[in-house]
Amino acid sequence: MSGVQVVTGERASSAAEEMAGPACYGYSIRSSLEFCALRPGPGTPLAVTEADDEPNPSGPPSGEWFDQGAPFARLWDHNGTYSLWIDPLGWFSVDPGAPTIKAPSWVGPRREVGLWGLPMALCFLERGDLPLHAAAVEVEGRAIVLAAPGRHGKTTLAGAFVQAGHRLLSEDLTCLRAAPEPAVLPGPALMRLRRDVIEHLVLPGVEVVAETPDRVLVTLSETGRGGAGAVPVGAVVFLKLREGETALTRRSPATVVPDLWGLSMKRPTDSARRRCFQTIAALAGSVPMWDLRRRLSFSDLPSIVERIVNTCRERREP
Amino acid sequence: MNLPVPATEKTDSGPRFRRHLRVEYRALGDEGGVLLHLDTAAYHGLNQVGARIWELLDGVTLVELVSRLEEYLGDPPSTLADDVAEFLARLAERGLILLEPGTGS
């Protein structure tokens, strides 16, 4: 996917202006860089360019993200614009108001994974949407959000949905919009699968675009990825680990607020936290939410997918 | 538990109760509502009556609050004033409401 226009340092004429083209998380991506995981569809313009210099922020970061105890991302907030360092990719400069993202020198799909992660989350967070640590799939026109911390099987379960013929909307970071109706704005059409996972799943139409010692990066086919338009939310499922029988139990709205809060990305300011809370509470009050308690087992995946699909379907039917 | 006001106080000159400005609230329809204290990041779920009380805490006295609740409930329990006082005490313990001195204190 290439040949799209570069827009450098210019603010969009209107935040509400919708543009068609390669899109991600509700943004129409304007860039001369090559991307492999975008979907066609509407969005407000967002310019992605290569950084021509490296930021040199002073002072301690305002945010850090850790993976297995080691920091992999650090954020410096410059009153609404950001310098973001992601290991091992390098520096991103993000201006959510413009919106623009300056990315490190481009070398391929792994950098694309980084770009569609935290830098994009900073942009749609500013827009008022909720970045949630979750995968999302589309089942019969409704998004099912699979929310959990790392190592709870989000990607594997999302892969099992794809294997069953459903569409992947996002793999690790889901963009949730609360109003006018709760919706998922599809993210990049890619998955980072563990090697043992890809050996156990049959994924139609995916293409391997990069490999690391422990992960295989795949993109969905052009037909399988579908469009970038918003998909109404049918359910949020919190993935919990336990031995024994699988259980899918309904959650009451008030009880899910802490779970959503813990899995959401937010800026550490009062106004940002107030807005995040209101978005979360609005979602909690309008979207059915469930706990899925299960053991991590490849053999259980087809029956779990079927159970979630049937439960969501039964709830919709009178 | 130390109540912010004696439950038996029936005059309208007691302390006035107000929502803390650093507490965010969202109604959840039939499910009541939920509170977030911005300083502690603690959540508190409210049932329907609790949510109604929260919405009424705009500087009311206990007497005024109970009176408004009686109208809202239609057929209130005889223990309503004591129940409300206990609920206010719990909110105060968690730093969710502010108490302003009453005129009679």
Side-chain angles (χ1 to χ4, degrees), chain A residues 252-254 257-258 261-262 270 273-275 277-282 284-285, chain B residues 21-28 31 33-36 38-39 41 43 45-46:
Chain A
S252 69
V257 171
W261 182 266
D270 278 356
R273 282 188 290 184
R274 284 182 197 275
R275 191 164 71 171
F277 172 76
Q278 291 295 338
T279 302
I280 282 173
Chain B
L21 290 176
R22 298 197 46 79
V23 176
E24 198 72 7
Y25 167 73
R26 178 86 185 196
L28 294 173
E31 298 285 339
V34 63
L35 305 172
L36 167 70
L38 290 170
D39 293 336
Y43 294 89
L46 303 175

Side-chain angles (χ1 to χ4, degrees), chain A residues 44-68:
Chain A
T44 49
L46 184 150
V48 180
T49 57
E50 267 190 16
D52 46 15
D53 58 356
E54 288 198 345
N56 186 23
S58 58
S62 55
E64 282 186 296
W65 287 265
F66 293 85
D67 184 24
Q68 294 185 305

Side-chain angles (χ1 to χ4, degrees), chain A residues 122-144:
Chain A
L122 289 168
C123 291
F124 65 75
L125 183 63
E126 175 77 13
R127 192 174 58 188
D129 297 325
L130 183 72
L132 194 69
H133 199 180
V137 293
E138 181 181 357
V139 176
E140 297 166 359
R142 297 264 165 180
I144 295 178

